[in-house]
Amino acid sequence: MKSKKVAKDRVGAALVGCGGIAKSQHLPNLARAPNLQLLAVCDVDERAARAAQAAYAVPRMTTRFEEILADPEIDLVVVATKEDAQVELTCRALEAGKHVYVEKPLATTPEDCRKVVQAQGRHHRLVQVGFNRRFAPACREARRILAPRGGPTNIHFRISDEYWSWGRAYPPGVRVIQEACHVFDLLRWLADSEVASVYCASARPDDEIYALKFTSGCVATVMCTGEVTLDLPKERIELVTRRPGALIIEEYVELRTYGCPDEPPVFRFPGHTHPDSEATHKYLFEQLGAEALAAFRKARWQLRNQEEAGELNPHDAELRRFLEQRFPHTNYLVDKGWRAALGHLADCILGRAAFEGPGPRDALAANLLAHAAMRSRETGEVVRL
Ligand SMILES: NC(=O)c1ccc[n+]([C@@H]2O[C@H](COP(=O)([O-])OP(=O)(O)OC[C@H]3O[C@@H](n4cnc5c(N)ncnc54)[C@H](O)[C@@H]3O)[C@@H](O)[C@H]2O)c1
């Protein structure tokens, strides 16, 4: 897709939707990216927009999206509302000549995803979807190692969370659309192939597996569960390579190689941090990898359980407060590529890089796969795509 090249050093950006992901990722990342300038924030909730403006000294705030569209200094609109509004806002921004970064899932239906594919075709602007894991340093390193080994032939991906403890954000059974979409996109990218068929075996809502076959011949299983506990690292990927060997990625902080004598046996990656957060974990993960992350998760989990049981002594209460206030939310401790994803799009707008996606067609592919998995769940049959 052609980009409207911007003749300056930094891309003028606006953030629309100042909620959870904006506060934990987009605001701090936009505010400190060398190739971006956060000029405006917008939210239908004025308090949310004002709080974001104050926290990051953003020049302008508004509750009216039209003001963002009319602002000639804004080249990029970052849309992080919810999937019910993201398609409409993205299409309107494209129509106004803006480039767009839009959160996942782009939409819940293939029909709505196609609206963005078509709008992009009409308006010739860049659209990047928030499948940020493609930009995680651990995943980029894995893809580099996979290429000369003929790519992966067999993958197992576990993505897990503890929905039961913090209340479900979504009706039961749609984790496949909301969360597995990240996995489906990453697997298509790592396998460098489209998915040919999917089979879903469901133990209970949001606790199931998907068996995928790719057109390349690669096969994958995805264990997707919202029913575990916080002390279990959230994501683990195991990949068998076509030439004998294997890789394991432990929640984006550690990549281990097997049968790859030309590569180090272990790569460790710094955690992700935030200007307002303690950075200690970042360097611990770089030094100690998965072990440090597991210890961090376990400490937080145990302290929370003790507090809930009324068994927290004053020393541990102090430690719990310190960990909760000073460090990022547990699922945001590691670098899943959020900052690099935005930086990549800005570089493309500035004409410094060629767009590598993921775009709306990738969002459509992930969404079609999620719906096929849900059909398989209902029928018990393999569904071909
Ligand atoms: N990539 C990731 O790692 C990741 C992580 C979490 C959430 N997400 C995605 O980010 C999106 C936002 O999630 P969240 O948890 O931040 O939601 P949230 O509900 O915390 O925040 C959404 C914000 O958008 C505002 N909003 C809603 N409609 C709007 C509109 N039409 N115009 C302007 N503002 C509007 C709301 O008032 C709210 O402040 C979702 O699509 C979610 O799936 C992505």
Side-chain angles (χ1 to χ4, degrees):
M1 183 58 53
K2 202 165 58 174
S3 81
K4 183 187 75 163
K5 192 174 158 189
V6 174
K8 50 190 176 187
D9 286 346
R10 295 205 287 172
V11 174
L15 173 71
V16 183
C18 303
I21 187 68
K23 283 187 272 194
S24 62
Q25 294 301 328
H26 298 322
L27 280 162
N29 292 339
L30 284 163
R32 69 174 156 176
N35 54 1
L36 283 157
Q37 190 178 16
L38 180 57
L39 295 174
V41 286
C42 170
D43 199 296
V44 285
D45 175 350
E46 186 175 339
R47 276 177 315 175
R50 283 205 186 285
Q53 180 185 37
Y56 291 93
V58 184
R60 305 191 265 289
M61 69 71 65
T62 179
T63 56
R64 298 182 59 245
F65 187 55
E66 300 71 35
E67 289 181 20
I68 302 293
L69 299 182
D71 188 333
E73 288 190 295
I74 293 170
D75 300 306
L76 168 65
V77 179
V78 177
V79 180
T81 55
K82 280 274 192 220
E83 48 292 343
D84 55 353
Q86 283 169 181
V87 167
E88 189 209 326
L89 297 175
T90 299
C91 291
R92 288 174 65 195
L94 289 172
E95 202 174 318
K98 314 293 187 193
H99 301 286
V100 179
Y101 184 97
V102 56
E103 264 307 337
K104 58 47 66 176
L106 174 59
T108 54
T109 65
E111 294 70 33
D112 277 347
C113 293
R114 284 194 188 98
K115 288 181 189 163
V116 177
V117 173
Q118 287 157 4
Q120 184 179 33
R122 285 195 300 277
H123 301 294
H124 307 291
R125 293 293 181 267
L126 296 173
V127 180
Q128 188 169 322
V129 178
F131 291 138
N132 42 271
R133 283 159 178 72
R134 288 192 191 199
F135 294 89
C139 296
R140 295 191 90 74
E141 200 69 60
R143 208 167 113 113
R144 179 191 65 72
I145 298 170
L146 287 169
R149 291 171 169 78
T153 57
N154 193 342
I155 309 176
H156 179 62
F157 199 132
R158 174 176 52 71
I159 182 160
S160 49
D161 216 323
E162 57 164 47
Y163 279 8
W164 57 270
S165 81
W166 45 270
R168 287 173 192 279
Y170 303 100
V174 299
R175 182 172 164 83
V176 64
I177 291 179
Q178 297 290 342
E179 189 75 345
C181 62
H182 269 307
V183 178
F184 295 156
D185 181 71
L186 191 65
L187 290 180
R188 287 176 60 246
W189 182 74
L190 286 170
D192 205 8
S193 174
E194 292 302 334
V195 176
S197 69
V198 57
Y199 173 73
C200 170
S202 192
R204 51 184 167 167
D206 298 320
D207 187 9
E208 53 195 16
I209 60 160
Y210 316 111
L212 313 179
K213 277 193 179 165
F214 290 80
T215 53
S216 67
C218 176
V219 294
T221 50
V222 180
M223 180 203 285
C224 181
T225 176
E227 299 293 339
V228 297
T229 47
L230 189 69
D231 54 333
L232 178 69
K234 185 171 182 257
E235 296 173 46
R236 177 184 164 106
I237 315 169
E238 299 187 26
L239 304 110
V240 175
T241 54
R242 194 164 294 281
R243 289 219 325 254
L247 309 180
I248 295 181
I249 301 173
E250 299 277 11
E251 205 175 357
Y252 309 100
V253 295
E254 192 167 294
L255 165 63
R256 295 197 296 275
T257 66
Y258 300 85
C260 304
D262 51 331
E263 297 290 348
V266 186
F267 294 82
R268 295 200 173 100
F269 303 91
H272 178 80
T273 192
H274 184 290
D276 312 333
S277 304
E278 182 67 60
T280 317
H281 68 288
K282 185 170 164 169
Y283 305 107
L284 272 177
F285 296 169
E286 193 173 24
Q287 294 299 314
L288 301 171
E291 200 188 319
L293 176 65
F296 207 101
R297 279 187 170 276
K298 185 141 252 159
R300 265 195 168 160
W301 178 71
Q302 283 172 344
L303 290 167
R304 188 198 62 193
N305 292 350
Q306 282 165 16
E307 182 170 86
E308 283 174 7
E311 291 167 0
L312 208 56
N313 65 45
H315 172 76
D316 286 346
E318 187 57 35
L319 178 61
R320 172 149 164 78
R321 252 194 312 281
F322 177 75
L323 290 178
E324 294 312 306
Q325 288 172 3
R326 300 277 291 276
F327 289 86
H329 177 287
T330 307
N331 288 345
Y332 295 119
L333 283 167
V334 301
D335 186 353
K336 293 187 209 166
W338 297 280
R339 195 183 317 149
L342 272 175
H344 170 69
L345 181 56
D347 272 346
C348 295
I349 296 170
L350 292 167
R352 296 176 185 162
F355 184 71
E356 290 182 16
R361 285 184 191 281
D362 297 298
L364 174 61
N367 189 258
L368 285 168
L369 180 49
H371 281 278
M374 290 196 291
R375 275 203 303 284
S376 173
R377 180 201 288 156
E378 281 157 25
T379 62
E381 306 284 332
V382 172
V383 174
R384 291 181 203 294
L385 281 110

